[in-house]
Structures are given as structure tokens and as C-alpha cells.
Amino acid sequence: MSGLRILVPVKRVIDYAVKPRVNKAQTAVETAGVKHSMNPFDELSIEESVRIREKKTYPSGVEDILAFSCGPPKSADILRTAMAMGADRSIHVEVKEGEEPEPLGVAKMLKAVVEKEKINLVFLGKQSIDDDAGQTGQMLAGLLGWGQATQASKVTFDGDGKGVTVEKEVDGGTETVKGVLPMIITADLRLNEPRYASLPNIMKAKKKKIEKMAAGDLGVDVGRRLKTLKVIEPPPRQGGGKVEDVDGMISKLKELGAI
Amino acid sequence: MISRSGISVLRQARTQLRTAGPTPVASLSALARLLSSLAVLEQKDGKLNHGSLGAITAAKKLGGSITGFVAGGNIKGVAEEASKVSGIEKVISVDNSAYDKQLPENYAPLLVENIKKGGYTHIIMGHTAFGKSLMPRVAALLDVQQISDITAIEDEKTFVRPIYAGNAIATVESSDNIKIITIRGTAFAAAEAEGGSASMEDGVDSKAESTTEWVSENLAKSDRPDLATAGKVVSGGRGLKSKEEFDRIMLPLADALGAAVGASRAAVDSGYADNSLQVGQTGKVVAPQLYLCAGISGAIQHLAGMKDSKVIAAINKDADAPIFQVADVGLVGDLFDKVPELTEKLNK
């Protein structure tokens, strides 16, 4: 039984607190000059991986935590953050801004990394908050033929070093499944509370290694299958109708046919 | 080895074939005949999940033939129920209790086998917890880029979906031969459960093993309507201050309106309400006739889950709360006074 070799894919996205704006040409969301940060769900997967190491919850320990990102040069910042939180090293597949592969392409890249780096656990976020696709983890599990547990809120390991019990968030409550390593797990919001990287750890992370690659280096086809024809702002809502009191609210709701 | 002259003969033959082939399809109705959709329907404990019938509605919009797919133990009853759904032509069922627990590890290969056998052009399923875990796996096995959580269909390859928590709406065109789509439940109402008379057929059982096994579930039980499909939703946020207050203030209001109960992430994280009640980008997306919320400020992530509601009403003591920018009816005031008063007056 060997230790865990964990792969944590992370994505650089527009910060969750920023309200995105559609560009004038209606081709995409404006990203220039907008604050970016690590996809919130990916922070949870890094945090969980580091906790497995710190709390020694896996019997033979954690051998390696490898962060991965496919994105523009600035994605290196996100990888530094991941390493400051506790990842050991990183792989950065550099692509041009706006030319990030789709989930299927990313999953194919991750499969190549899994095989090359002898990974036995991949921890992903359940979705990226920009594309909201929620596909990459499941696609990777399908490509590898591994078990998957999505929207995880709790992960525990058996003493035998094989079994993994995962509590998942599902419609209407939670569900618990048991899988065996190697496995794919995607993190839900309630998995943990990610830490802030401390200054000493940020300094240490600067010495950790980022291996740079081009999309072609992993030998997979990451061509796009979906063409974005148009991106528009959603129709604005006419809000702002305030009433004075509860009676006013009731009569307005009746008027609108809502009650 | 083909000789050089052989190659040119082949090339010539191919050119002729191309010109002799069918002329390009002009009208959409002619094209519709070539479309065949597989709607993946969900079941639980031998009952068809009517929420999953939105997939049939989406398939109807595409045109072409519609086949429903169900799998599980003692599936006959579910298949019969599905065969009565309006618009459906055929129901394929696989009777095997191994599929009851909705494990994507064995369900995905099962679906792939049946998709290959049936030669469908479109595979449609709800963007539910099961749909989210299953369909990307199916897509990867078929080497297809899935299109998640669509809200509209423009034509057989063009779909509309919200991105960035609903702050932008993207129209995408798929170049894949098979389109794998999950649909947003609130954008496609469930098809009528009556009026159809589909033929029934046994599907192929691929009998794939799952490395993952189901252990248990812990579902929140409630007599109130289901949050995702309710006509009215009342929702509470951080302003409720505690679980006791949440239950004391919000539940009677829900009962007075016959509404489902929802909550903001803040309320869920603080333990005021169950996780499964979270409305927002990462929780449930709802679009009821009435969404009445109290003590919710209206963060981007929350708005993503409810801003398509027909009427939004908000009670909040902060007159500048962003929720008032989207609310049709806003009341500035202390929810601890206003909500009980509202409940009382509604009960009269």
C-alpha cells in the first residue's frame, strides 16, 4: 500500500464577488482589468488534500499533492496560491486568454497527467463559477474508468487504505457512497473551510516548482466542440417597487396574481 | 496496396457519390424526421419522477422521435407510467435492481450501450443531482462535449445556457454528432403525464460492475411542496438569526401560502436550514410564481437561483439591500415584526 498521490486541478476565474459584464461585441464576458482568483470550489479541494496529509487520515499518508491548471500565463498566480496552501508542486498548461479548452479537453489532459504521475486520487471542484458546466470530474472518471463521488461534503478513508466513504450533497438531502481507490471526488461548498495562505507559506511557495507545458505536450486533442455564437446580458428585472406596510404588500401581491 | 490509378478511380467515384447523394435538407421539418431524442427519466422506489419529464418537453421542442429511458428493479410499472406521457413514442426499460441506486459507474455504460444501439442524435436529461453526476460521464465515454443546464433550444445544434451565475446568457453551437444535454427544470415544464401511448421495449443490459456502492441516504422529510418545482417559495436568510427563529418565523408563512421553504447560503451555513434547501448558483435554481424572501440581502450567487421567479417579494430592514433591485414588491422593515403580521393576515 503506497501513499496517496493527489492531483488537484484548479482554475483561474473572475472573482466570485465581481459582477461580470458582457463585452460590447457580445462575444464573451469582459475579463480585462477584472479581479480574478481561484475558483472557490478548487480551494476546497486543495484544503481537503492538505488536511488529509496534516490529519493523517489516510493510513499510509500523502506522498504528493500536485496542482494543475490550464489557462493563460496569469494562471501561475493561482498555482502559487495552491502551493502556498500546501500543494507540493504544479503543472501549468499555458494557453492564450479565452482559448481555454472545454471540460472534455481538460479531462483528457488530466487523464494524461494521472497516468504520467501515477495519481490515485483526483480532487476537483464540483463546478467552475464562470462556465458553470460541472462536468470535468465526471468526464475524467469516465475516461479513466474510475469510481466517482460528486458534490462531496465529507470524505473518510478506511483503515485498509483502499476504501473511501464519501457523503454527497444530493437533491433533498445527502447520500453516502463507498468507493475504492483510485477515485475521483468533486468538492461541494460544505466540505471544509479553506485556509488563508500565511505569508511564510506564500514565500515558501515561490520556491516550489511549476512545470510549464503546452497543450500539445500531453498528446491529447483538446479541440473545441462548442462554438459560442453570442453572449448577452440577461433581461433586466424591473425591481424597486416598494410598499409601505404589510397590507400594501398583500394587495400588491394580489394585484400581480401571485397570491 | 492501391495503385495510383486505383486511387484516382476511387476519388472519382466518391465525387460522383457526393453529387448523386441527397440534396441538402432545406427545411427544419424535413430535418426533424432525422432527429431522434432519448429522454433519460428518473425513478425512485418504483415511481416515475415527474420532474424528470421536462426532458420530454425539451425533446418535443427539437422535433423528431422521442424515446424514454428508465432503468431499475421491477421497472415494468415505471415503464408503463412513462408510456402514457404525452409525446413519447417508445419507452426502453432495463429491469435490474443494480440501477436503483443511480450509480453513474454502472448506469453510464448502460446508457452508452443503449444510445449506440438506438442511434439517437440527442440525449436529454434534467440537470438534477443524478443528471449532473451521470451525463458528463456518458459524454466522455462517447467523446462528446456536453451542454449543461440549458434554458432554451434554438435549433437541433444551437442551445442557450446561463453562465457566470446567470449574469450572462450564452448561445452555443455544438459540432458533435450526438448532443448530450442537461436541461434546467424551471425552463422546461414537465410533459403531461397522460395522453401518450408509447410502445415498450426492453433495453440492452450491459451489466457493468460499479466500483462504488451506495451505503445510505439522509433525505430531509417534509410535507411541504418540493422546492425545485413549487409554485410558491418562501426563503429566509442570515437575518433570521437562529434555527429556532427560522422555524418559528418562516415555516408558518410557508404553510399560510402553501409554499416550499428555501434558504440563502448564509442561513444554511449557519445551520438555520438544511443544505438541501439552499437556493442559488450552487444550490437549487427555482422559478416559482412567487418568491418571497426575508432577511436575504441578495448576493449574486443567491440571485442566480431565483431571479427567474415570476414575482419576487422581499422583506429586509436594509433599504439599500441589492434584493430590492430585483424585487417586484419590497417592504423595508424588521422581518421579526413584518413576517408574523403577514402570516396572520394571510391566514384570515
Side-chain angles (χ1 to χ4, degrees):
Chain A
M1 187 169 69
S2 57
L4 283 181
R5 296 180 59 80
I6 311 176
L7 174 64
V8 188
V10 295
K11 187 175 183 184
R12 177 177 175 268
V13 298
I14 292 183
D15 190 84
Y16 74 95
V18 175
K19 187 174 162 58
R21 300 272 173 217
V22 171
N23 65 15
K24 280 213 179 71
Q26 298 200 320
T27 54
V29 160
E30 198 61 69
T31 53
V34 176
K35 186 186 175 197
H36 282 68
S37 35
M38 191 192 297
N39 181 41
F41 293 101
D42 302 341
E43 290 185 344
L44 297 159
S45 4
I46 293 274
E47 176 66 33
E48 195 65 17
S49 309
V50 176
R51 285 190 194 188
I52 296 169
R53 168 180 280 159
E54 287 172 349
K55 295 188 174 164
K56 302 182 171 62
T57 48
Y58 184 73
S60 358
V62 175
E63 247 176 55
D64 192 16
I65 301 174
L66 171 59
F68 169 98
S69 195
C70 174
K74 280 184 180 162
S75 301
D77 301 349
I78 303 304
L79 290 168
R80 291 281 170 216
T81 309
M83 292 189 293
M85 288 174 73
D88 300 308
R89 60 198 179 98
S90 301
I91 291 179
H92 182 190
V93 174
E94 219 175 277
V95 294
K96 278 195 202 128
E97 181 97 39
E99 287 181 12
E100 294 89 348
E102 293 161 341
L104 183 64
V106 175
K108 287 177 180 176
M109 287 183 180
L110 291 174
K111 177 174 186 267
V113 173
V114 162
E115 284 162 355
K116 182 166 164 265
E117 303 286 346
K118 300 189 171 40
I119 300 295
N120 52 15
L121 178 65
V122 187
F123 234 123
L124 304 94
K126 75 161 177 175
Q127 76 192 67
S128 68
I129 60 162
D130 51 359
D131 193 41
D132 282 333
Q135 300 171 353
T136 311
Q138 298 88 306
M139 284 183 157
L140 177 60
L143 293 177
L144 288 164
W146 291 6
Q148 68 181 60
T150 47
Q151 301 186 217
S153 56
K154 194 176 173 197
V155 179
T156 47
F157 295 93
D158 288 0
D160 67 2
K162 282 195 188 132
V164 191
T165 304
V166 183
E167 191 179 285
K168 302 166 52 181
E169 302 265 337
V170 295
D171 301 336
T174 59
E175 181 181 281
T176 304
V177 295
K178 190 171 170 184
V180 289
L181 290 173
M183 199 164 164
I184 308 287
I185 302 176
T186 74
D188 209 330
L189 271 181
R190 268 163 282 278
L191 183 62
N192 57 47
E193 190 85 39
R195 70 193 63 192
Y196 288 102
S198 66
L199 190 59
N201 284 340
I202 292 172
M203 299 312 287
K204 268 185 225 158
K206 290 192 175 169
K207 296 203 179 77
K208 291 182 180 175
K209 199 177 154 221
I210 297 183
E211 189 183 343
K212 276 209 188 343
M213 285 185 191
D217 294 346
L218 290 164
V220 291
D221 166 28
V222 295
R224 294 184 78 85
R225 312 288 185 83
L226 301 182
K227 190 168 135 196
T228 302
L229 301 180
K230 171 174 79 168
V231 177
I232 55 165
E233 299 264 353
R237 271 195 88 99
Q238 207 62 24
K242 283 193 185 134
V243 292
E244 287 302 311
D245 51 19
V246 171
D247 291 323
M249 179 170 250
I250 292 176
S251 57
K252 187 80 189 287
L253 288 177
K254 280 189 177 149
E255 191 186 304
L256 292 167
I259 54 171
Chain B
M1 183 102 185
I2 304 169
S3 70
R4 187 171 287 263
S5 61
I7 291 176
S8 70
V9 168
L10 270 175
R11 199 172 287 154
Q12 208 174 355
R14 217 180 292 148
T15 327
Q16 274 165 356
L17 264 178
R18 207 176 291 152
T19 47
T23 46
V25 183
S27 72
L28 192 66
S29 64
L31 193 67
R33 265 178 268 131
L34 305 172
L35 290 180
S36 65
S37 299
L38 184 72
V40 185
L41 307 178
E42 297 184 48
Q43 63 104 12
K44 191 165 169 66
D45 304 326
K47 283 208 184 73
L48 182 68
N49 175 348
H50 283 242
S52 68
L53 299 182
I56 309 271
T57 308
K60 281 185 191 169
K61 293 209 168 140
L62 282 164
S65 73
I66 304 172
T67 304
F69 182 88
V70 287
N74 283 323
I75 201 73
K76 271 281 158 294
V78 179
E80 272 168 27
E81 229 187 311
S83 72
K84 298 195 181 87
V85 175
S86 123
I88 201 162
E89 280 173 33
K90 185 158 63 170
V91 174
I92 291 182
S93 63
V94 176
D95 193 337
N96 185 341
S97 58
Y99 304 118
D100 277 341
K101 297 305 181 193
Q102 308 190 325
L103 296 167
E105 290 86 348
N106 61 12
Y107 209 110
L110 171 74
L111 206 48
V112 167
E113 286 277 305
N114 284 282
I115 292 166
K116 283 186 177 161
K117 188 179 169 227
Y120 306 99
T121 55
H122 293 73
I123 318 299
I124 313 170
M125 190 176 187
H127 195 64
T128 58
F130 185 37
K132 284 186 229 177
S133 77
L134 172 69
M135 290 293 257
R137 193 167 175 119
V138 171
L141 294 175
L142 291 168
D143 195 31
V144 168
Q145 174 53 50
Q146 181 191 331
I147 309 141
S148 290
D149 204 19
I150 65 160
T151 51
I153 294 170
E154 294 214 332
D155 60 40
E156 87 286 352
K157 56 177 197 272
T158 316
F159 308 94
V160 177
R161 58 181 303 267
I163 53 175
Y164 290 91
N167 281 295
I169 311 292
T171 306
V172 296
E173 183 184 278
S174 166
S175 60
D176 281 312
N177 290 328
I178 303 178
K179 275 68 169 177
I180 296 198
I181 303 158
T182 56
I183 55 161
R184 179 167 288 199
T186 56
F188 299 90
E192 298 268 339
E194 298 293 330
S197 56
S199 62
M200 294 205 269
E201 199 176 284
D202 287 337
V204 208
D205 190 350
S206 55
K207 296 201 170 79
E209 293 288 323
S210 175
T211 52
T212 306
E213 56 180 308
W214 184 90
V215 178
S216 63
E217 68 185 358
N218 181 11
L219 300 184
K221 286 191 184 60
S222 162
D223 299 331
R224 294 191 183 82
D226 174 51
L227 177 59
T229 52
K232 290 173 188 153
V233 173
V234 301
S235 200
R238 196 197 303 271
L240 269 307
K241 294 201 166 69
S242 72
K243 176 164 173 45
E244 289 68 35
E245 294 290 345
F246 190 98
D247 290 352
R248 185 176 71 84
I249 303 271
M250 297 309 290
L251 302 189
L253 176 64
D255 293 335
L257 285 164
V261 177
S264 70
R265 183 186 166 189
V268 168
D269 280 352
S270 312
Y272 306 172
D274 191 77
N275 293 349
S276 60
L277 300 185
Q278 187 183 326
V279 171
Q281 182 183 19
T282 66
K284 291 251 165 36
V285 176
V286 301
Q289 201 64 35
L290 170 65
Y291 187 85
L292 203 171
C293 58
I296 290 180
S297 63
I300 296 174
Q301 291 77 17
H302 186 76
L303 297 182
M306 46 63 81
K307 69 179 174 188
D308 291 327
S309 305
K310 301 288 174 299
V311 175
I312 297 173
I315 299 176
N316 203 305
K317 65 180 173 190
D318 175 9
D320 297 325
I323 192 74
F324 288 124
Q325 287 163 26
V326 299
D328 303 288
V329 191
L331 176 58
V332 180
D334 187 349
L335 70 91
F336 291 103
D337 299 331
K338 303 296 178 192
V339 177
E341 188 188 339
L342 179 62
T343 306
E344 193 187 317
K345 285 181 172 160
L346 284 170
N347 275 331
K348 267 184 198 158

